[in-house]
Amino acid sequence: MKVAVVGATGLVGGEMLKVLAERNFPVDELLLVASERSVGQKMTFKGKEYTVIGMDDAIAQKPQIAIFSAGGSVSKEMAPKFAAAGTTVVDNSSAWRMDPSKKLVVPEINAPELTPEDKIIANPNCSTIQMVVALNHLHKALKIKRIVVSTYQSVTGTGKKAVDQLMNERAGIEGEKAYAYPIDLNVIPHIDVFEENGYTKEEMKMVNETKKILGDDSIKVTATAVRIPVMGGHSESVNVEFEKDFTLEEVYRLLQETPGVVVVDDTANLKYPMPMDAHGKDEVLVGRIRRDETQPNTINIWVVADNLRKGAATNAVQIAEYLVAHKLV
């Protein structure tokens, strides 16, 4: 099994290598791929040193799987070239997510839709992944009508420059800025670019990707995406209206039976999910489960996950694991 990690030198690329090692993914030959300016750089995987190579070199070596985390424009240009060489691409950017000819996959939900013909597979947005993992079994049992979500997103979702900005501000050091405003001791209600409807691209990703992953265009979704001075995970306040009524006991049971979800909900002992608890974990943590007392068939939940892991690297590696296990590559 020859595997390429494209964008290996970035934050998510580094996390992908960590996850591949932790999960003992069957890598016989590893290609670490990055932009021309990183070619020749040395990196270590499972105690062995590797030299970063360029795109053309990687394509020529025809890996079975290429896991991409190199940005949308790079994916648009390079993923088809890998696919043309027979490689199955798992792409972490937004480039292919809403392409009707491409599958948008969260393995716990819709991996069985994959076939050997799917040569470019899209990994969803980090904030969408954790929400749909939490809601999957609830939707199957109770049918979601409407979701109102507000996100509280880690600076790691922006990248290394944003992490540096936060830590520089905390230390009182002048440095390069990832955001238009200070992030330490601040909250920025703006993630990605604004669209004509007044929503940001990040918010619209949650709207559109949720429907595609759950396979139900009737679900109404409205989102507000917010950047907060936190590292380690994204948090979400999710209000969900269902078609069917339920008991809270049923909701707890459905969540506890949902693959990839851990319920952390014991308010008597101040137990609820926080980013510091999710950091370094692959599970989606769900707590603060309660009825919305202002309207029928509605709950509020609090959803937390490590955005670099389940929100990006782990989900991509799980897709690759499914491909291998089901002989799709």
Side-chain angles (χ1 to χ4, degrees):
M1 179 63 59
K2 190 185 292 188
V3 177
V5 175
V6 180
T9 55
L11 266 186
V12 175
E15 205 66 32
M16 283 172 173
L17 292 171
K18 195 188 295 183
V19 173
L20 285 167
E22 283 174 14
R23 296 173 75 95
N24 281 318
F25 189 85
V27 180
D28 298 312
E29 198 175 333
L30 180 66
L31 308 177
L32 300 185
V33 190
S35 63
E36 287 305 315
R37 69 177 179 275
S38 298
V39 169
Q41 191 176 318
K42 304 291 185 189
M43 294 183 74
T44 303
F45 177 75
K46 284 190 166 182
K48 184 180 169 187
E49 192 175 75
Y50 291 82
T51 303
V52 174
I53 63 173
M55 297 286 184
D56 293 340
D57 192 355
I59 293 165
Q61 294 189 50
K62 298 190 174 181
Q64 279 103 326
I65 295 174
I67 306 177
F68 268 57
S69 185
S73 57
V74 173
S75 292
K76 270 288 190 200
E77 181 190 354
M78 302 309 299
K81 294 182 179 179
F82 275 86
T87 300
T88 300
V89 173
V90 181
D91 180 50
N92 195 51
S93 78
S94 60
W96 305 100
R97 289 176 188 156
M98 296 315 298
D99 184 322
S101 69
K102 305 290 184 286
K103 308 277 171 62
L104 183 63
V105 175
V106 176
E108 294 91 337
I109 299 174
N110 59 349
E113 293 175 13
L114 291 170
T115 71
E117 285 67 51
D118 292 309
K119 286 300 181 190
I120 299 176
I121 301 161
N123 206 42
N125 182 42
C126 47
S127 45
T128 307
I129 289 174
Q130 67 187 68
M131 184 173 78
V132 296
V133 166
L135 296 181
N136 182 35
H137 270 33
L138 293 172
H139 178 53
K140 284 179 183 170
L142 305 172
K143 193 158 188 343
I144 294 169
K145 280 177 69 176
R146 182 170 186 253
I147 300 167
V148 182
V149 55
S150 295
T151 72
Y152 305 72
Q153 293 181 224
S154 160
V155 292
T156 56
T158 307
K160 185 180 182 302
K161 193 165 147 186
V163 173
D164 290 344
Q165 179 180 339
L166 173 61
M167 299 319 287
N168 285 341
E169 288 172 357
R170 198 151 283 189
I173 299 167
E174 278 298 317
E176 202 179 2
K177 300 274 194 285
Y179 304 118
Y181 299 98
I183 185 62
D184 192 32
L185 300 177
N186 195 23
V187 165
I188 303 174
H190 169 197
I191 298 178
D192 213 325
V193 297
F194 282 99
E195 304 208 324
E196 283 183 14
N197 63 357
Y199 288 80
T200 64
K201 197 171 171 187
E202 181 84 359
E203 291 157 355
M204 295 312 298
K205 285 175 193 171
M206 295 192 77
V207 172
N208 297 319
E209 292 177 24
T210 297
K211 296 177 183 185
K212 184 169 177 178
I213 296 161
L214 294 176
D216 190 340
D217 283 338
S218 73
I219 299 172
K220 295 175 181 173
V221 185
T222 187
T224 303
V226 181
R227 190 72 67 192
I228 63 170
V230 158
M231 289 194 290
H234 291 350
S235 306
E236 297 171 350
S237 171
V238 189
N239 177 275
V240 193
E241 181 186 1
F242 299 101
E243 285 191 2
K244 298 178 185 173
D245 198 7
F246 53 82
T247 63
L248 273 182
E249 290 73 21
E250 186 182 4
V251 169
Y252 274 97
R253 178 182 59 77
L254 287 165
L255 284 167
Q256 284 164 339
E257 291 172 357
T258 302
V261 166
V262 174
V263 174
V264 182
D265 194 346
D266 179 8
T267 52
N269 292 299
L270 308 186
K271 301 286 186 192
Y272 30 70
M274 294 181 290
M276 63 195 297
D277 304 320
H279 183 60
K281 294 191 173 75
D282 292 328
E283 296 80 18
V284 174
L285 311 182
V286 181
R288 297 297 321 277
I289 303 159
R290 62 214 188 275
R291 275 191 181 273
D292 177 346
E293 296 180 345
T294 67
Q295 67 173 14
N297 305 354
T298 306
I299 58 166
N300 288 300
I301 59 174
W302 178 250
V303 181
V304 180
D306 186 322
N307 53 293
L308 292 184
R309 289 186 68 100
K310 184 55 185 170
T314 302
N315 198 76
V317 172
Q318 285 175 313
I319 293 170
E321 287 173 342
Y322 187 92
L323 295 171
V324 172
H326 292 82
K327 298 182 169 53
L328 299 176
V329 289

